[in-house]
Amino acid sequence: MGSVSDQNNQPLPGVNVVIKGTSKGTTSDFDGNYVIAIADFPVILVFSSIGFTTKEVDVKGPGRIDVVLQEGVALDEVILVGNRSKPRTIMDSPVPIDNIGVNELKNTGQPTVDKMLTYKVPSFNATTQAISDGTAHFDPADLRGLGPSRTLVLVNGKRKNLSSLVYINDTPGKGEVGVDLKSIPAAAIERIEVLRDGASAQYGSDAIAGVINMVLKKNVEYTTVGITSGITTEGDGFNFAADFNSAIKLNENGGYLNLTFGYYEQEKTNRSGEPGADGLFGVPADDPTWGPWLSAHPDLGMNIGQPEMQKADVFLNAGVPFKSGNGEFYAFGGLTYRKGKSFALYRPPYWIPDPHNLLHEPGTEYQGFQPTFETDIRDNTMTVGAKWKLIGFDVDLSGTYGRNAVNYDVNNTLNPALGAGSPTSFDVGSYTFSNTLGNLDFSKNMGAVNIAFGAELRGERFTAMAGDPASYIGGGAQSFPGLQPSNVVEATRDNYGLYGDLEWEPTDKLLLGGALRYEEFSDFGNNTSWKLNGRYLLGDNLGALRASYSTGFRAPALHQIYLSNIQTLVSGGTISNQGTFNNVDPIIRDGLGVPQLTAETSKNISAGFTFKPVTNLSIAVDFYNVKIDNRVLFTNEIGFDGDDSANNPVEEILIDNAITSLKFFVNAVNTNTTGVDVVASYKNLKLGSGVLAATIAANFNKTKIDGEIGTPPLLAANGYEIFNRKEQSRITTSRPKSKVLLGFDYNIQKLNFALNNTYFGEVKWDHATDPLNDQTFAGKVITDLIVGYDFSSKVSATLAINNLLNVYPDELEPKGDVVTDLGGRFKYPWEVNQFGFNGTIISAGLAFKF
């Protein structure tokens, strides 16, 4: 234990303290204090922080070690993700990694972790979705535009469970499954490491696009309490957040228990269009019957924007060293409980009649109704384990359990089939997903060689529960028919993985590495992935050349294999029911000849350099190419072919199941993504009496589909297209092809100014069949201003103005296709949402330490 300060005797928080040659380390707290458990002496402790010279201290035995760091050299943060041997810095890592500290996350002014990352990592995207059932409450997030399924999320280096939801609505990430990033409170996070490289050979399935590792806080000297509140300049979207973080010292040997409690709530926003007429149903503004209603409801009654949400979190991170000093027990995890309310399409009185006075008071004029889609989400994760030394190896044995569950209710609606007996609130079903993991990892540093190997056992479980019978009888509840008994699922699978990792440094400058991983799944088979990487240092602190090549894979999620349901669609003024059939259904496997889902495979190549031309300036440029074969996709609607003279096999299925179209999951597309990441930062620039830091970071990418879509022969023979132009554009152009972040951070005495500019490149929406209805939405710059003031060492305030210039996306142009904007209901794009459409948000906060 000890403290770290600068040459002016000021404490330095966030300093990395690592036992040299190992991956064991900690960071100093707000007062510069640190505690680190050391099993065997002597050791060398390495102290490093941005803007200060690295210092190594020989430690012969137990005792207090106080260190003073000198300014002058911009040292890159130590990162742990990306290798299993010993920590490296961003500049000498053989693969591109971002290290984002808690202060950088807070300086985005964003309320949740997924939004913080969107405004800190150019290759990361997550946006709020509207009128999209459960998707509106999870918000698909991905790296490099490769979809939510292909980013692996870790907490303290351990796999985080997936969410229970498949994104089946018309949003980015449609047909995919991701981690619920809203389930990890920012107040519990010390830093986030983002590995922008394929890492399946090291971490297993899902790591095709990269890895996000959430590192939780450990020892903190002070208890901190934060309160923040904000609202849009339109007067809606009020939000309030409160969090508490503290650490308890468990013993004199460095034992700790870090606790976080958080609460967040937000109100809805509404940015609907105001067409004054309903082209979707062919009702003009001067309609003799409905004209007065349209005049009174020019927005057609819609609510389009962010959903309502209330969220509570409890997280812990604990460690207790062995009495022998040879290792430690540890535990971390938490529980998030979240409730949300989003909205479906408003049902005007000319769409759905209410002759039984179910949704309006007797004697009042019926005005229609807007169903609400309400969620009850629980996400919990817990890891317990131990680390110790065994015959020279660092050993890590752990067990992890994670679960995500969501219950759905549809309210303020009715089931027309039930007449006067229809409820107005419905339990429409629920989903759960859980995994149980066991990990055993060994690593050892042998001078020029670092080795690591280990094993993982994983069990997964996915369930779907039916809703109340009233929610699915007949046509079901308006807006979302409930899950039926035929949709009930309880599916499980197991897999085990074995891996080995080797790094060799034949000289001080050259590093060569490789990894190999074998995985066996109980349902579809096995996969072997491998990776090679290398790095060459360019002299003293000048930077490095680096490159990697790897193969990867992603196992189809249990959700994608077993999900089935009925959805309500609105098109051209008509209502229809669409059925999703799962991959094990004989209707799909035997009737349509769709093969069993199997793993996607990938080839990743990355090459780039890091460069330090002058002190405090660092530059990193990395080119990459990711090829994915047998990508799992969710088909477009497959319906009647328009020929009434005879029924083909697909139409027979539709008729037998009383639906108008069907969809399913299938391995059917190969994609090729090419891009470049650029990061340049300048630290500790003296400007007047303050210090300025500037960062520019950018991602440029392009995804294309290679070869033909793998349409099953029976469907192809009957002229069906399973992945039309609109669905193809969802994976090629729905995320920005370019994104640039330009940020300035200026500290002057008690004041801090952060000015962030984020350019979201253009996105393109393609019509399913008619190129004349395609639309491109121009790139826009979002400017955020965050001002902080320290009243004292223990009280500070923050004012954040997000989207300072009140920028909105381009407006939708229906171009003759009324379904594109649903008759003018949508003013802004929703299927290719770049950055949302809330406009300017002003928030203020206070933080206390005691």
Side-chain angles (χ1 to χ4, degrees), residues 711-762:
T711 305
L714 185 147
L715 289 164
N718 284 276
Y720 282 102
E721 186 178 31
I722 68 167
F723 208 57
N724 59 30
R725 297 180 73 253
K726 183 170 78 167
E727 300 305 329
Q728 291 179 42
S729 70
R730 204 181 306 282
I731 62 175
T732 58
T733 62
S734 68
R735 294 295 200 190
K737 293 184 178 180
S738 59
K739 188 175 163 191
V740 182
L741 280 61
L742 176 61
F744 300 94
D745 191 288
Y746 185 62
N747 284 281
I748 177 170
Q749 297 179 357
K750 296 184 177 183
L751 275 168
N752 172 260
F753 298 90
L755 182 67
N756 304 318
N757 301 275
T758 306
Y759 171 75
F760 293 87
E762 71 175 31

Short mmCIF file of all heavy atoms in Angstrom, two decimals, residues 711-762:
data_model
loop_
_atom_site.label_atom_id
_atom_site.label_comp_id
_atom_site.label_asym_id
_atom_site.label_seq_id
_atom_site.Cartn_x
_atom_site.Cartn_y
_atom_site.Cartn_z
N THR A 711 -30.49 -18.69 -50.75
CA THR A 711 -31.92 -19.00 -50.67
C THR A 711 -32.14 -20.51 -50.75
O THR A 711 -31.63 -21.16 -51.66
CB THR A 711 -32.68 -18.31 -51.81
OG1 THR A 711 -32.40 -16.91 -51.79
CG2 THR A 711 -34.18 -18.54 -51.69
N PRO A 712 -32.90 -21.09 -49.81
CA PRO A 712 -33.19 -22.53 -49.90
C PRO A 712 -33.82 -22.88 -51.24
O PRO A 712 -34.63 -22.10 -51.78
CB PRO A 712 -34.17 -22.76 -48.74
CG PRO A 712 -33.81 -21.69 -47.74
CD PRO A 712 -33.44 -20.50 -48.57
N PRO A 713 -33.46 -24.02 -51.84
CA PRO A 713 -33.89 -24.37 -53.21
C PRO A 713 -35.40 -24.31 -53.42
O PRO A 713 -35.86 -23.83 -54.46
CB PRO A 713 -33.35 -25.80 -53.38
CG PRO A 713 -32.16 -25.86 -52.48
CD PRO A 713 -32.50 -25.02 -51.30
N LEU A 714 -36.20 -24.80 -52.47
CA LEU A 714 -37.65 -24.80 -52.67
C LEU A 714 -38.18 -23.37 -52.81
O LEU A 714 -39.05 -23.10 -53.66
CB LEU A 714 -38.34 -25.52 -51.52
CG LEU A 714 -39.86 -25.71 -51.65
CD1 LEU A 714 -40.30 -27.02 -51.00
CD2 LEU A 714 -40.62 -24.55 -50.99
N LEU A 715 -37.67 -22.46 -51.98
CA LEU A 715 -38.11 -21.07 -52.06
C LEU A 715 -37.63 -20.42 -53.35
O LEU A 715 -38.36 -19.66 -54.00
CB LEU A 715 -37.60 -20.30 -50.85
CG LEU A 715 -38.28 -20.66 -49.52
CD1 LEU A 715 -37.46 -20.14 -48.35
CD2 LEU A 715 -39.68 -20.08 -49.47
N ALA A 716 -36.39 -20.71 -53.74
CA ALA A 716 -35.87 -20.16 -54.98
C ALA A 716 -36.68 -20.66 -56.18
O ALA A 716 -36.98 -19.89 -57.12
CB ALA A 716 -34.40 -20.52 -55.14
N ALA A 717 -37.05 -21.94 -56.16
CA ALA A 717 -37.80 -22.52 -57.28
C ALA A 717 -39.18 -21.88 -57.42
O ALA A 717 -39.74 -21.86 -58.52
CB ALA A 717 -37.93 -24.03 -57.08
N ASN A 718 -39.73 -21.34 -56.32
CA ASN A 718 -41.04 -20.70 -56.37
C ASN A 718 -40.95 -19.18 -56.46
O ASN A 718 -41.94 -18.47 -56.24
CB ASN A 718 -41.87 -21.10 -55.15
CG ASN A 718 -42.42 -22.51 -55.25
OD1 ASN A 718 -43.46 -22.74 -55.86
ND2 ASN A 718 -41.69 -23.48 -54.67
N GLY A 719 -39.76 -18.71 -56.79
CA GLY A 719 -39.58 -17.28 -57.07
C GLY A 719 -39.50 -16.38 -55.86
O GLY A 719 -39.69 -15.16 -55.98
N TYR A 720 -39.19 -16.91 -54.69
CA TYR A 720 -39.15 -16.08 -53.49
C TYR A 720 -37.76 -15.51 -53.24
O TYR A 720 -36.74 -16.17 -53.47
CB TYR A 720 -39.58 -16.89 -52.27
CG TYR A 720 -41.08 -17.08 -52.17
CD1 TYR A 720 -41.66 -18.29 -52.53
CD2 TYR A 720 -41.90 -16.05 -51.74
CE1 TYR A 720 -43.03 -18.47 -52.45
CE2 TYR A 720 -43.27 -16.22 -51.65
CZ TYR A 720 -43.84 -17.43 -52.01
OH TYR A 720 -45.20 -17.59 -51.93
N GLU A 721 -37.74 -14.28 -52.77
CA GLU A 721 -36.53 -13.61 -52.34
C GLU A 721 -36.55 -13.58 -50.81
O GLU A 721 -37.53 -13.13 -50.21
CB GLU A 721 -36.50 -12.19 -52.90
CG GLU A 721 -35.22 -11.43 -52.63
CD GLU A 721 -35.25 -10.04 -53.27
OE1 GLU A 721 -36.34 -9.46 -53.38
OE2 GLU A 721 -34.17 -9.54 -53.64
N ILE A 722 -35.50 -14.08 -50.16
CA ILE A 722 -35.52 -14.15 -48.70
C ILE A 722 -34.80 -12.98 -48.03
O ILE A 722 -34.92 -12.79 -46.81
CB ILE A 722 -34.91 -15.48 -48.19
CG1 ILE A 722 -33.39 -15.53 -48.47
CG2 ILE A 722 -35.63 -16.67 -48.76
CD1 ILE A 722 -32.68 -16.64 -47.73
N PHE A 723 -34.05 -12.20 -48.79
CA PHE A 723 -33.31 -11.08 -48.20
C PHE A 723 -33.29 -9.97 -49.23
O PHE A 723 -32.36 -9.83 -50.02
CB PHE A 723 -31.88 -11.54 -47.84
CG PHE A 723 -31.28 -10.78 -46.69
CD1 PHE A 723 -31.91 -10.74 -45.45
CD2 PHE A 723 -30.07 -10.14 -46.82
CE1 PHE A 723 -31.34 -10.07 -44.37
CE2 PHE A 723 -29.49 -9.47 -45.76
CZ PHE A 723 -30.13 -9.43 -44.53
N ASN A 724 -34.34 -9.13 -49.20
CA ASN A 724 -34.54 -8.14 -50.25
C ASN A 724 -33.62 -6.93 -50.07
O ASN A 724 -32.78 -6.88 -49.17
CB ASN A 724 -36.01 -7.72 -50.32
CG ASN A 724 -36.51 -7.13 -49.00
OD1 ASN A 724 -35.77 -6.52 -48.24
ND2 ASN A 724 -37.81 -7.32 -48.74
N ARG A 725 -33.83 -5.94 -50.91
CA ARG A 725 -32.95 -4.76 -50.92
C ARG A 725 -32.95 -4.06 -49.55
O ARG A 725 -31.90 -3.61 -49.07
CB ARG A 725 -33.41 -3.77 -52.00
CG ARG A 725 -33.34 -4.29 -53.41
CD ARG A 725 -33.81 -3.23 -54.42
NE ARG A 725 -32.81 -2.17 -54.58
CZ ARG A 725 -32.94 -0.94 -54.09
NH1 ARG A 725 -34.02 -0.62 -53.37
NH2 ARG A 725 -32.01 -0.03 -54.31
N LYS A 726 -34.12 -3.94 -48.94
CA LYS A 726 -34.18 -3.25 -47.65
C LYS A 726 -33.40 -4.00 -46.58
O LYS A 726 -32.66 -3.38 -45.79
CB LYS A 726 -35.64 -3.08 -47.22
CG LYS A 726 -35.78 -2.29 -45.91
CD LYS A 726 -37.22 -1.92 -45.62
CE LYS A 726 -38.01 -3.06 -45.08
NZ LYS A 726 -39.32 -2.61 -44.52
N GLU A 727 -33.54 -5.31 -46.54
CA GLU A 727 -32.82 -6.09 -45.53
C GLU A 727 -31.32 -6.09 -45.80
O GLU A 727 -30.51 -6.06 -44.86
CB GLU A 727 -33.36 -7.52 -45.48
CG GLU A 727 -34.84 -7.62 -45.12
CD GLU A 727 -35.17 -6.92 -43.82
OE1 GLU A 727 -34.31 -6.89 -42.92
OE2 GLU A 727 -36.30 -6.41 -43.69
N GLN A 728 -30.93 -6.11 -47.05
CA GLN A 728 -29.51 -6.04 -47.37
C GLN A 728 -28.92 -4.70 -46.92
O GLN A 728 -27.82 -4.65 -46.36
CB GLN A 728 -29.29 -6.25 -48.87
CG GLN A 728 -29.59 -7.65 -49.35
CD GLN A 728 -29.38 -7.81 -50.85
OE1 GLN A 728 -28.40 -7.30 -51.40
NE2 GLN A 728 -30.29 -8.52 -51.51
N SER A 729 -29.66 -3.63 -47.16
CA SER A 729 -29.13 -2.31 -46.77
C SER A 729 -29.05 -2.18 -45.25
O SER A 729 -28.26 -1.39 -44.73
CB SER A 729 -30.02 -1.19 -47.34
OG SER A 729 -31.28 -1.14 -46.69
N ARG A 730 -29.84 -2.98 -44.53
CA ARG A 730 -29.79 -2.91 -43.07
C ARG A 730 -28.43 -3.34 -42.54
O ARG A 730 -28.01 -2.92 -41.46
CB ARG A 730 -30.90 -3.77 -42.48
CG ARG A 730 -31.32 -3.34 -41.08
CD ARG A 730 -32.40 -4.23 -40.51
NE ARG A 730 -33.55 -4.36 -41.35
CZ ARG A 730 -34.52 -3.47 -41.48
NH1 ARG A 730 -34.45 -2.34 -40.80
NH2 ARG A 730 -35.56 -3.67 -42.28
N ILE A 731 -27.72 -4.21 -43.28
CA ILE A 731 -26.39 -4.63 -42.81
C ILE A 731 -25.27 -3.95 -43.58
O ILE A 731 -24.10 -4.13 -43.23
CB ILE A 731 -26.23 -6.16 -42.89
CG1 ILE A 731 -26.35 -6.68 -44.31
CG2 ILE A 731 -27.23 -6.85 -41.99
CD1 ILE A 731 -26.08 -8.17 -44.43
N THR A 732 -25.59 -3.17 -44.60
CA THR A 732 -24.54 -2.50 -45.37
C THR A 732 -24.52 -0.99 -45.19
O THR A 732 -23.45 -0.37 -45.23
CB THR A 732 -24.65 -2.82 -46.86
OG1 THR A 732 -25.94 -2.41 -47.34
CG2 THR A 732 -24.47 -4.32 -47.12
N THR A 733 -25.69 -0.36 -44.98
CA THR A 733 -25.71 1.11 -44.95
C THR A 733 -26.54 1.70 -43.81
O THR A 733 -26.72 2.92 -43.76
CB THR A 733 -26.25 1.67 -46.28
OG1 THR A 733 -27.61 1.22 -46.48
CG2 THR A 733 -25.39 1.24 -47.44
N SER A 734 -27.06 0.89 -42.88
CA SER A 734 -27.92 1.45 -41.84
C SER A 734 -27.12 2.11 -40.71
O SER A 734 -27.67 2.90 -39.94
CB SER A 734 -28.83 0.37 -41.26
OG SER A 734 -28.08 -0.59 -40.53
N ARG A 735 -25.85 1.78 -40.59
CA ARG A 735 -24.96 2.46 -39.65
C ARG A 735 -24.05 3.40 -40.44
O ARG A 735 -23.73 3.13 -41.59
CB ARG A 735 -24.12 1.45 -38.87
CG ARG A 735 -24.88 0.54 -37.92
CD ARG A 735 -25.54 1.27 -36.79
NE ARG A 735 -25.85 0.36 -35.67
CZ ARG A 735 -26.59 0.68 -34.64
NH1 ARG A 735 -27.14 1.88 -34.56
NH2 ARG A 735 -26.82 -0.20 -33.66
N PRO A 736 -23.59 4.50 -39.81
CA PRO A 736 -22.71 5.42 -40.54
C PRO A 736 -21.45 4.74 -41.04
O PRO A 736 -20.79 4.00 -40.31
CB PRO A 736 -22.38 6.48 -39.48
CG PRO A 736 -23.52 6.43 -38.51
CD PRO A 736 -23.93 4.98 -38.46
N LYS A 737 -21.11 4.99 -42.30
CA LYS A 737 -19.86 4.47 -42.86
C LYS A 737 -18.65 5.28 -42.38
O LYS A 737 -17.52 4.83 -42.54
CB LYS A 737 -19.92 4.49 -44.38
CG LYS A 737 -20.93 3.52 -44.97
CD LYS A 737 -20.85 3.54 -46.49
CE LYS A 737 -21.82 2.55 -47.10
NZ LYS A 737 -21.77 2.55 -48.58
N SER A 738 -18.92 6.43 -41.84
CA SER A 738 -17.85 7.24 -41.27
C SER A 738 -18.34 7.91 -40.00
O SER A 738 -19.52 8.28 -39.89
CB SER A 738 -17.37 8.30 -42.27
OG SER A 738 -18.43 9.16 -42.64
N LYS A 739 -17.43 8.03 -39.06
CA LYS A 739 -17.75 8.70 -37.80
C LYS A 739 -16.46 9.30 -37.27
O LYS A 739 -15.43 8.63 -37.20
CB LYS A 739 -18.33 7.69 -36.82
CG LYS A 739 -18.87 8.31 -35.53
CD LYS A 739 -19.53 7.21 -34.70
CE LYS A 739 -19.73 7.63 -33.27
NZ LYS A 739 -20.12 6.49 -32.42
N VAL A 740 -16.52 10.59 -36.94
CA VAL A 740 -15.33 11.31 -36.51
C VAL A 740 -15.63 12.04 -35.21
O VAL A 740 -16.66 12.73 -35.09
CB VAL A 740 -14.87 12.32 -37.58
CG1 VAL A 740 -13.60 13.03 -37.13
CG2 VAL A 740 -14.64 11.63 -38.92
N LEU A 741 -14.74 11.89 -34.23
CA LEU A 741 -14.87 12.57 -32.94
C LEU A 741 -13.72 13.55 -32.79
O LEU A 741 -12.55 13.18 -32.94
CB LEU A 741 -14.81 11.57 -31.79
CG LEU A 741 -16.06 10.77 -31.43
CD1 LEU A 741 -16.51 9.89 -32.58
CD2 LEU A 741 -15.80 9.91 -30.19
N LEU A 742 -14.03 14.80 -32.50
CA LEU A 742 -13.03 15.82 -32.22
C LEU A 742 -13.35 16.41 -30.87
O LEU A 742 -14.39 17.06 -30.69
CB LEU A 742 -13.04 16.91 -33.30
CG LEU A 742 -12.09 18.09 -33.06
CD1 LEU A 742 -10.64 17.63 -32.99
CD2 LEU A 742 -12.28 19.15 -34.14
N GLY A 743 -12.47 16.16 -29.89
CA GLY A 743 -12.76 16.60 -28.53
C GLY A 743 -11.65 17.45 -27.95
O GLY A 743 -10.46 17.24 -28.21
N PHE A 744 -12.06 18.44 -27.14
CA PHE A 744 -11.11 19.30 -26.44
C PHE A 744 -11.48 19.30 -24.96
O PHE A 744 -12.65 19.40 -24.59
CB PHE A 744 -11.17 20.74 -26.96
CG PHE A 744 -10.85 20.87 -28.43
CD1 PHE A 744 -11.87 20.87 -29.36
CD2 PHE A 744 -9.54 20.97 -28.85
CE1 PHE A 744 -11.59 20.98 -30.71
CE2 PHE A 744 -9.25 21.09 -30.20
CZ PHE A 744 -10.27 21.09 -31.14
N ASP A 745 -10.46 19.18 -24.13
CA ASP A 745 -10.66 19.19 -22.68
C ASP A 745 -9.68 20.19 -22.08
O ASP A 745 -8.46 20.03 -22.22
CB ASP A 745 -10.42 17.78 -22.12
CG ASP A 745 -10.88 17.67 -20.68
OD1 ASP A 745 -10.20 18.23 -19.81
OD2 ASP A 745 -11.91 17.02 -20.43
N TYR A 746 -10.22 21.21 -21.42
CA TYR A 746 -9.38 22.30 -20.90
C TYR A 746 -9.60 22.44 -19.40
O TYR A 746 -10.74 22.62 -18.95
CB TYR A 746 -9.71 23.61 -21.61
CG TYR A 746 -8.82 24.77 -21.21
CD1 TYR A 746 -7.45 24.73 -21.45
CD2 TYR A 746 -9.36 25.91 -20.62
CE1 TYR A 746 -6.63 25.79 -21.10
CE2 TYR A 746 -8.56 26.98 -20.27
CZ TYR A 746 -7.19 26.92 -20.50
OH TYR A 746 -6.37 27.97 -20.16
N ASN A 747 -8.52 22.34 -18.64
CA ASN A 747 -8.57 22.49 -17.19
C ASN A 747 -7.86 23.76 -16.79
O ASN A 747 -6.70 23.98 -17.17
CB ASN A 747 -7.89 21.31 -16.51
CG ASN A 747 -8.73 20.06 -16.53
OD1 ASN A 747 -9.67 19.90 -15.75
ND2 ASN A 747 -8.43 19.17 -17.45
N ILE A 748 -8.55 24.61 -16.05
CA ILE A 748 -7.95 25.83 -15.54
C ILE A 748 -8.42 26.03 -14.10
O ILE A 748 -9.59 26.29 -13.86
CB ILE A 748 -8.29 27.05 -16.43
CG1 ILE A 748 -7.69 28.32 -15.84
CG2 ILE A 748 -9.77 27.16 -16.71
CD1 ILE A 748 -7.78 29.53 -16.77
N GLN A 749 -7.49 25.82 -13.20
CA GLN A 749 -7.78 25.90 -11.77
C GLN A 749 -8.97 25.01 -11.42
O GLN A 749 -8.90 23.80 -11.59
CB GLN A 749 -7.99 27.36 -11.37
CG GLN A 749 -6.74 28.21 -11.60
CD GLN A 749 -6.94 29.66 -11.24
OE1 GLN A 749 -8.02 30.10 -10.86
NE2 GLN A 749 -5.88 30.45 -11.37
N LYS A 750 -10.08 25.58 -10.97
CA LYS A 750 -11.21 24.77 -10.54
C LYS A 750 -12.20 24.48 -11.66
O LYS A 750 -13.19 23.79 -11.43
CB LYS A 750 -11.94 25.47 -9.39
CG LYS A 750 -11.11 25.62 -8.13
CD LYS A 750 -11.92 26.23 -7.01
CE LYS A 750 -11.10 26.30 -5.72
NZ LYS A 750 -11.92 26.84 -4.59
N LEU A 751 -11.93 24.99 -12.84
CA LEU A 751 -12.85 24.83 -13.96
C LEU A 751 -12.36 23.78 -14.95
O LEU A 751 -11.15 23.65 -15.19
CB LEU A 751 -13.04 26.15 -14.70
CG LEU A 751 -14.09 27.12 -14.15
CD1 LEU A 751 -13.94 28.48 -14.82
CD2 LEU A 751 -15.50 26.58 -14.36
N ASN A 752 -13.30 23.06 -15.51
CA ASN A 752 -13.00 22.13 -16.60
C ASN A 752 -14.01 22.34 -17.71
O ASN A 752 -15.22 22.40 -17.47
CB ASN A 752 -13.06 20.68 -16.13
CG ASN A 752 -12.93 19.69 -17.27
OD1 ASN A 752 -13.92 19.15 -17.74
ND2 ASN A 752 -11.71 19.46 -17.72
N PHE A 753 -13.51 22.48 -18.95
CA PHE A 753 -14.36 22.64 -20.12
C PHE A 753 -14.10 21.48 -21.08
O PHE A 753 -12.95 21.20 -21.42
CB PHE A 753 -14.08 23.96 -20.85
CG PHE A 753 -14.32 25.19 -20.03
CD1 PHE A 753 -13.31 25.73 -19.26
CD2 PHE A 753 -15.57 25.80 -20.03
CE1 PHE A 753 -13.54 26.87 -18.49
CE2 PHE A 753 -15.81 26.93 -19.27
CZ PHE A 753 -14.78 27.48 -18.50
N ALA A 754 -15.15 20.81 -21.47
CA ALA A 754 -15.04 19.75 -22.48
C ALA A 754 -15.95 20.12 -23.65
O ALA A 754 -17.15 20.36 -23.47
CB ALA A 754 -15.43 18.40 -21.90
N LEU A 755 -15.37 20.17 -24.83
CA LEU A 755 -16.13 20.46 -26.06
C LEU A 755 -15.93 19.28 -27.00
O LEU A 755 -14.83 19.03 -27.49
CB LEU A 755 -15.64 21.75 -26.71
CG LEU A 755 -16.40 22.17 -27.98
CD1 LEU A 755 -17.83 22.55 -27.66
CD2 LEU A 755 -15.68 23.34 -28.67
N ASN A 756 -17.01 18.54 -27.23
CA ASN A 756 -16.93 17.34 -28.06
C ASN A 756 -17.77 17.53 -29.32
O ASN A 756 -18.93 17.95 -29.25
CB ASN A 756 -17.47 16.12 -27.29
CG ASN A 756 -16.74 15.90 -25.98
OD1 ASN A 756 -15.52 16.01 -25.91
ND2 ASN A 756 -17.48 15.59 -24.92
N ASN A 757 -17.18 17.20 -30.44
CA ASN A 757 -17.87 17.26 -31.72
C ASN A 757 -17.85 15.87 -32.35
O ASN A 757 -16.78 15.29 -32.54
CB ASN A 757 -17.20 18.27 -32.67
CG ASN A 757 -17.17 19.67 -32.09
OD1 ASN A 757 -18.12 20.42 -32.22
ND2 ASN A 757 -16.06 20.02 -31.45
N THR A 758 -19.02 15.34 -32.66
CA THR A 758 -19.13 13.99 -33.21
C THR A 758 -19.83 14.06 -34.56
O THR A 758 -20.98 14.50 -34.64
CB THR A 758 -19.91 13.06 -32.28
OG1 THR A 758 -19.32 13.09 -30.97
CG2 THR A 758 -19.89 11.64 -32.80
N TYR A 759 -19.12 13.66 -35.60
CA TYR A 759 -19.70 13.62 -36.94
C TYR A 759 -20.21 12.21 -37.22
O TYR A 759 -19.45 11.25 -37.19
CB TYR A 759 -18.66 14.00 -37.99
CG TYR A 759 -19.14 13.77 -39.42
CD1 TYR A 759 -20.06 14.63 -40.01
CD2 TYR A 759 -18.68 12.69 -40.16
CE1 TYR A 759 -20.51 14.42 -41.31
CE2 TYR A 759 -19.12 12.47 -41.46
CZ TYR A 759 -20.04 13.34 -42.03
OH TYR A 759 -20.49 13.12 -43.31
N PHE A 760 -21.51 12.10 -37.42
CA PHE A 760 -22.12 10.85 -37.82
C PHE A 760 -22.31 10.89 -39.33
O PHE A 760 -23.06 11.72 -39.85
CB PHE A 760 -23.48 10.66 -37.14
CG PHE A 760 -23.40 10.47 -35.65
CD1 PHE A 760 -23.39 11.56 -34.79
CD2 PHE A 760 -23.34 9.20 -35.10
CE1 PHE A 760 -23.33 11.39 -33.42
CE2 PHE A 760 -23.27 9.02 -33.72
CZ PHE A 760 -23.26 10.11 -32.88
N GLY A 761 -21.61 10.00 -40.04
CA GLY A 761 -21.68 10.00 -41.49
C GLY A 761 -23.06 9.62 -42.01
O GLY A 761 -23.95 9.21 -41.28
N GLU A 762 -23.22 9.76 -43.30
CA GLU A 762 -24.51 9.48 -43.92
C GLU A 762 -24.90 8.01 -43.79
O GLU A 762 -24.06 7.13 -43.66
CB GLU A 762 -24.49 9.87 -45.39
CG GLU A 762 -23.64 8.98 -46.27
CD GLU A 762 -23.76 9.33 -47.75
OE1 GLU A 762 -23.98 10.51 -48.08
OE2 GLU A 762 -23.60 8.41 -48.58
#
